[in-house]
Amino acid sequence: MSAMVELMRRKQSLTLLDQRQTLLLENAYYMCNPPERGPRQEKQRPPMVLFIRHLIFDVLAKKTIDKVLKLIRKLDWDDPEVQQTLHKLFTRPWKVKYANVSLLALLAYDLQRYHAAFSIGVVDQVLEDIRRGLELNIYKNNQRRVATMKLLGELYIYRMVSSAIIFDTLWSLVTFGHPNGRPLPGQVCPIDAPDDFFRVRLVCVLLDSCGMCFDKGSLKKKLDSFLTFFQLYVLTKEPLSMDVEFMLSDTMEALRPNLAMPKTFEDAALAVDQMFSAEQNGNDVAGTAGDGEDSGEDEDEERQDREDDEEDDQVSNTDAASERPGSPDEEVVLSHKPEHAGPSAAEEEDFNKELAKMMLDSTQEARKVDRKAAAVMWETTVMTGGAKKRKEDTEKSSATGQEANAMTFTLLSRRGNKQMTKELVVPESAPIAVHTRNAQLQDKKEQQQLKKLVLDYEYREGMEAYQADIDTLRQKGVSFKFAKK
C-alpha cells in the first residue's frame, strides 16, 4: 500500500494538474497517511472541582436553583480550592447559558447572607472586567463583555450593587477614552472608533437588564439625563448597522416610548448643553440657599438624599425581585389575604346552574337508553315461553306484596341452557328491602332537586332576556305601559 501511495505522489509531482485535482489528491493522501501528532491533552481537575462545575453548568435551572443553593452551601468553604473555583465560575458568566446569567446573580444574592466576602469579591471582579474591557477593546472578548454587562444588571436587580454604580458604568461607556469626556463626530479615539458600535450594544444590554427600575423619583431624572447624552453619543458614530439600530430602538421604546430622538448632532448637543445648564443652575441655587447653614446640616441633607435614592432603589427592585424564587431557608409569612382566593358567589351560582342542567340532561338520556335496552333484553332473553304470561301475574303479586308490607324481587337463575325466573317476597323490614326503598327515594329526591334548579335557571334566564329587550327598546325611545289585571 505504501508503494502505491509513493507512486501516486511521484506521478502527481510530474503531472500538471489544476488546483481542484491537486486538492483532491492531497486529501486522499493525508486520509491514508495522516500526519503524526500527539493525543489531545485534557486538563485534569479534582473531583470536587468537577462536581462544582457540574452544578453550575449542567444542573442549574429555574426548577433546581434551590437544590443547587443547598449543595453549594454544604461545600467546605474553608478550603481555598473550593473558594477559588466558585469565584471563577461566578465571575465568568460567558461560560454559562445566557438565560442562566440571572440565576447566577440570584445564587450570589442568596450566598451573600452566609458568605458576604464572597459576594463582595464577585462584584469587584465584575466591575474590574468591565473596566478592563473598556481599556483594551479586544474584538474576541466581545461575547464575554456582553455576558458580564448582563450579570451586572442582574446584580442590581437583586440589590447587590447600588444605582450609583450602574450610572457610573453607563457614563463610562459613553465617555471613556474621549478627550474631556465629550465625544465628537469624526474624533479619532483608539479604543472607540466611529465605526465601532459595540459600546452602544453594551448600553442597551445594561438598560434592558435593569433600566425598568429607574421609573420614578431621582433615578428617573438621572436616567433621562443619561439618555439625552446617549443620543448625542449615538450621533457621533457612523450610520448604525441594522441589528444595532433595531436593538437601540427596542430599548428606547421599552424605557421611554414617547421620547423624541434628535435627528442631527447639533440638536443633540443643544439638548445636552441645556441639560448641563439646568443641573448647574440647580446646584447654584442649592449652594446659595445653604450659605448661612453650617457644614453639618449640608452633610445631613446629602445623607438624606442618599437614603432617598436607596429607598427608590429598593422600591423599584421589589417587583422584579419578588418574581424570582427566594432562598430555600427563608420562612415566608403572608401578612395579607390573597385577593383572588377562589371563585365568587356569582361564579359559583353560574357553575351550579350549568352543572345541574348538564346532569339532568345526561340522566334523562341515560334512563331512556337504559329502559329501551332493558326492555329488549328482557323480551329476547328472560321472557321466553310462558314468561310473558307470568309477567302480569308478577306485577299483580308485586302490588299485593307491597300492600301486605312486603316487596317482591325477581330471581334470575339458569339451569343448563334455560333461564328461569322466580319471585321472592321479602318483608319491608329486611335490609335489602330497606336499602332498595331508600335508594329509590333518594333518586326521586335528587331528580326533583335537579328539576327545580333547571326550571329556576330557565325562568331567571328568560326574565333577564326579557328585561334586556325592554331596556334596549326604551333606549330607542319606545315606551311601555303595563296594564294591571
Side-chain angles (χ1 to χ4, degrees), residues 129-386:
D129 291 341
I130 293 175
R131 184 73 176 187
R132 188 190 308 114
L134 291 175
E135 294 174 354
L136 300 179
N137 193 28
I138 301 176
Y139 176 77
K140 67 178 182 179
N141 294 334
N142 285 354
Q143 186 176 2
R144 299 183 177 185
R145 295 172 66 185
V146 170
T148 305
M149 197 64 66
K150 172 71 173 178
L151 179 60
L152 178 63
E154 296 295 335
L155 290 176
Y156 174 76
I157 293 295
Y158 294 105
R159 303 189 297 276
M160 293 189 65
V161 296
S162 63
S163 61
I165 294 178
I166 298 298
F167 283 106
D168 288 346
T169 304
L170 290 172
W171 283 99
S172 298
L173 290 173
V174 296
T175 60
F176 185 79
H178 295 275
N180 299 324
R182 191 70 178 264
L184 298 174
Q187 181 174 264
V188 179
C189 181
I191 57 178
D192 189 19
D195 58 347
D196 185 6
F197 313 125
F198 189 69
R199 289 194 181 185
V200 179
R201 187 184 298 272
L202 291 180
V203 171
C204 292
V205 169
L206 186 56
L207 291 178
D208 290 340
S209 300
C210 60
M212 76 290 293
C213 301
F214 310 136
D215 57 349
K216 52 184 165 181
S218 60
L219 297 179
K220 182 179 180 180
K221 297 180 180 179
K222 291 181 180 180
L223 182 59
D224 291 338
S225 301
F226 170 76
L227 291 179
T228 303
F229 192 89
F230 181 54
Q231 293 172 356
L232 180 140
Y233 173 79
V234 172
L235 292 174
T236 61
K237 299 288 184 179
E238 296 181 358
L240 300 178
S241 59
M242 185 177 297
D243 57 337
V244 177
E245 185 177 1
F246 287 163
M247 190 175 188
L248 177 61
S249 61
D250 292 342
T251 302
M252 289 298 183
E253 185 177 0
L255 295 178
R256 299 292 185 269
N258 299 325
L259 182 63
M261 297 285 290
K263 302 298 182 181
T264 61
F265 176 79
E266 289 74 13
D267 296 339
L270 181 62
V272 170
D273 292 339
Q274 293 176 355
M275 177 193 70
F276 285 150
S277 300
E279 291 183 356
Q280 185 66 28
N281 293 335
N283 294 334
D284 293 342
V285 171
T288 304
D291 288 342
E293 300 177 357
D294 57 357
S295 59
E297 293 179 355
D298 294 339
E299 293 178 357
D300 293 338
E301 291 179 358
E302 294 178 358
R303 189 182 302 108
Q304 183 65 28
D305 293 339
R306 288 195 298 270
E307 292 177 356
D308 294 340
D309 292 343
E310 292 178 357
E311 291 179 359
D312 292 338
D313 291 348
Q314 294 179 359
V315 171
S316 60
N317 292 333
T318 302
D319 297 336
S322 62
E323 299 177 358
R324 311 276 184 174
S327 174
D329 294 337
E330 279 190 0
E331 183 179 359
V332 181
V333 180
L334 297 178
S335 58
H336 65 281
K337 296 182 179 179
E339 297 180 358
H340 303 285
S344 61
E347 294 175 350
E348 286 282 357
E349 185 178 358
D350 294 339
F351 175 76
N352 291 332
K353 292 176 183 177
E354 295 294 336
L355 179 61
K357 186 175 181 181
M358 181 183 66
M359 291 294 295
L360 182 59
D361 294 340
S362 61
T363 303
Q364 291 177 352
E365 293 177 0
R367 287 180 176 176
K368 291 179 181 178
V369 174
D370 293 343
R371 288 172 181 173
K372 294 179 181 179
V376 173
M377 290 179 61
W378 182 260
E379 295 290 342
T380 55
T381 59
V382 178
M383 300 184 66
T384 59

Side-chain angles (χ1 to χ4, degrees), residues 57 87-98 100-101 104 125-126 128-130 132 140-151:
F57 295 152
H87 181 78
K88 287 182 179 180
L89 296 179
F90 275 80
T91 55
R92 296 180 180 179
W94 57 87
K95 289 191 174 183
V96 302
K97 298 178 182 178
Y98 190 76
N100 290 347
V101 174
L104 203 64
Q125 187 63 43
V126 169
E128 181 66 25
D129 291 341
I130 293 175
R132 188 190 308 114
K140 67 178 182 179
N141 294 334
N142 285 354
Q143 186 176 2
R144 299 183 177 185
R145 295 172 66 185
V146 170
T148 305
M149 197 64 66
K150 172 71 173 178
L151 179 60

